[in-house]
Structure formats: structure tokens, C-alpha cells
Amino acid sequence: MPVIEAKNVSIRYITGDFKAIGLKEYVVRKLTHRYHVKEFWADRNISFALERGDMLGIIGANGAGKSTLLKAISGIMFPTEGTLEVEGQVAALLELGSGFDAEMTVRENTFLRGALLGYTKAFIQEKYDEIIAFAELEDFQDYAFRQLSSGMKSRLAFSIACLVKPDILILDEVLSVGDGAFRKKSGDKMKEVLSGGVTGILVSHSTDQVKELCSKVLWLDHGRQVYFGGRTAEVLDLYDGFLKTKKLPDAKLFPAE
């Protein structure tokens, strides 16, 4: 049984001018049919399935619908159309500072983030030294989160998510932050986590990173699904060509599954 299964998932944003005009004017415009809304489909008819231990790389240019899809998988948003089934506990690192309090210390934030992921204080206490050591923040435990560099914030978030080992781990560009040594260490940790049966999803602009870590790839373009499957290296070569030419390849060029 798939851990994550999307069937024709479409997600729509609706925008209007309600906030700008206020309630009274909104009512008047609705009654006179002068109130208009705009629809924007961030994702359209996305279908894929992941088994336990799969690592999916999601690729696509800015505006492809990657982040919106991740929010749906994480439970932050819901599909407008289609179905999305997710089995298990999800740890999602979608934004660098999400789930942290800027004024609280690194130590306090570690317990806060752990609580948000559903773990007990005793469990995080048991894992705390390991989390801080992996994040290389032993000398910064009493610093406020806002005082950390972006690399430090990323290391802490990644360390908490990996070392508590959820069923599903979602990373949005998190592995691209930090120096080369930590990127290698985090990549090695991801391989270790996946070998333990965790299902992963990685969004990255680094095709080399996706090739190294991912067993499957999902290519999105302007909200549409270009490809989903396991021929990661071949498809990423086509994607590299697309980045240079800005022309989608003919469907016949995609490797048969």
C-alpha cells in the first residue's frame, strides 16, 4: 500500500478585492454583480504514488507548483479536486523559520519544534545532545533563534527532523543551505534515514543532489505534470536541457518505465 498517493490532484487559489474594499462595499458589489474574483490553478491533475523508503525529487522552475503541492502533502492545504492520501507522521521543512520562535533560545526551540512534531518532552530530552551535536550548535544553545545565521537555522531544523525519524520527511531546499561539509553530512544522513524505511520528498534546484539521493522524480511545469517515475538520471538530463532551452522535451523522449 502506498505511503503517499495523489490522484489527479488540483489546487486552486481564489483572489479578490474583499480586503481592499471592506464588508459594506463587498455586499453592494455582490448584489449588483460587480464583485469579481480571479482563479489561479497552482497544480493541475498531479498523480503519483510513493512506497515506504522511496525518495522523491520534485523538480521544476519557479512557479511550477512545487511548494503548493508540498503544503498539500503536509496537510497545510487541501486539494480543490482529486484525492491525496498520506499515511504516517509527516515532518516538513518548508520554510527556514517555520515552527520556531525568533525570541526563544536554540535549546527552547528544539523542544518547541519537537512538540509541534508530536514528540514528548522526555523523548526530545533523550535526543537533545545528539540533535545539537549534529547541527554543530553546541556553542549556541543559549542564543536566540533570530541571532543564528540562515545556515545554522537550517542545520537545526534538519537535525531535529532527521533525528526524531518521522514516517515521512519533506525537505524544501533545506539541503542547499550551509557549507559544503554540512551538505555532504546531511546527504549522508538522508541516505541513512531512508535506509531505515522513512519516505522522503526533496525539492532542490540541484539536479546533482536529486540524482544522488532520489529514487523517483516528479517534474512539474506551470502546475502541470511533465513526468513521474523512477528513471531519475535520464529525466534529469532532459530537465537540464530544458533549463538551457526553456523548451519542454517531446513526450517520446522520456524513458519508458
Side-chain angles (χ1 to χ4, degrees):
M1 180 178 177
V3 176
I4 302 174
E5 186 170 21
K7 294 182 179 179
N8 297 314
V9 167
S10 297
I11 303 172
R12 176 184 61 192
Y13 290 99
I14 298 178
T15 60
D17 54 359
F18 173 71
K19 290 183 178 180
I21 63 177
L23 178 60
K24 181 178 178 181
E25 182 64 19
Y26 165 75
V27 173
V28 172
R29 292 191 187 187
K30 284 287 285 185
L31 291 174
T32 57
H33 303 289
R34 291 187 297 109
Y35 181 75
H36 303 288
V37 296
K38 295 180 180 180
E39 292 186 353
F40 169 70
W41 290 91
D43 289 299
R44 207 76 170 104
N45 299 321
I46 309 300
S47 297
F48 67 92
L50 299 179
E51 305 292 335
R52 187 172 181 264
D54 278 343
M55 181 65 172
L56 175 68
I58 302 181
I59 58 175
N62 291 335
K66 304 185 297 295
S67 294
T68 297
L69 182 60
L70 292 186
K71 289 176 182 177
I73 297 170
S74 303
I76 298 172
M77 301 182 68
F78 296 96
T80 308
E81 296 176 356
T83 61
L84 180 60
E85 300 292 335
V86 179
E87 299 292 334
Q89 185 182 48
V90 179
L93 305 183
L94 304 184
E95 296 175 2
L96 198 58
S98 63
F100 294 101
D101 186 304
E103 300 303 321
M104 293 173 67
T105 66
V106 167
R107 187 189 310 275
E108 292 166 336
N109 267 297
T110 301
F111 284 91
L112 172 64
R113 180 67 178 174
L116 291 174
L117 291 174
Y119 294 100
T120 64
K121 181 179 180 180
F123 179 81
I124 299 300
Q125 185 71 59
E126 179 185 338
K127 290 284 187 178
Y128 178 78
D129 289 340
E130 188 180 356
I131 289 169
I132 295 300
F134 187 87
E136 301 171 6
L137 293 175
E138 294 94 334
D139 296 331
F140 299 90
Q141 298 177 60
D142 296 317
Y143 278 59
F145 188 75
R146 59 177 171 76
Q147 295 177 297
L148 302 183
S149 68
S150 60
M152 291 176 177
K153 293 174 182 177
S154 179
R155 296 204 305 264
L156 180 62
F158 180 82
S159 182
I160 294 170
C162 283
L163 294 179
V164 296
K165 294 186 179 178
D167 301 305
I168 300 166
L169 180 60
I170 300 176
L171 306 172
D172 188 357
E173 291 295 341
V174 172
L175 297 186
S176 300
V177 180
D179 59 28
F182 188 80
R183 284 198 295 272
K184 183 182 184 306
K185 185 168 78 167
S186 58
D188 291 342
K189 174 56 70 172
M190 275 305 307
K191 293 175 184 176
E192 178 187 326
V193 168
L194 292 170
S195 68
V198 172
T199 302
I201 298 178
L202 170 68
V203 170
S204 175
H205 287 296
S206 169
T207 53
D208 288 339
Q209 194 173 68
V210 175
K211 281 181 183 179
E212 181 183 0
L213 294 174
C214 299
S215 57
K216 295 179 179 179
V217 63
L218 174 64
W219 180 352
L220 302 179
D221 183 71
H222 292 90
R224 298 282 180 172
Q225 181 169 323
V226 179
Y227 172 86
F228 167 71
R231 300 298 182 93
T232 305
E234 295 94 325
V235 172
L236 286 170
D237 287 341
L238 292 176
Y239 180 66
D240 282 333
F242 162 75
L243 293 177
K244 296 174 183 176
T245 64
K246 301 303 179 185
K247 293 181 180 180
L248 289 172
D250 189 291
K252 296 178 182 178
L253 294 177
F254 287 112
E257 289 297 303

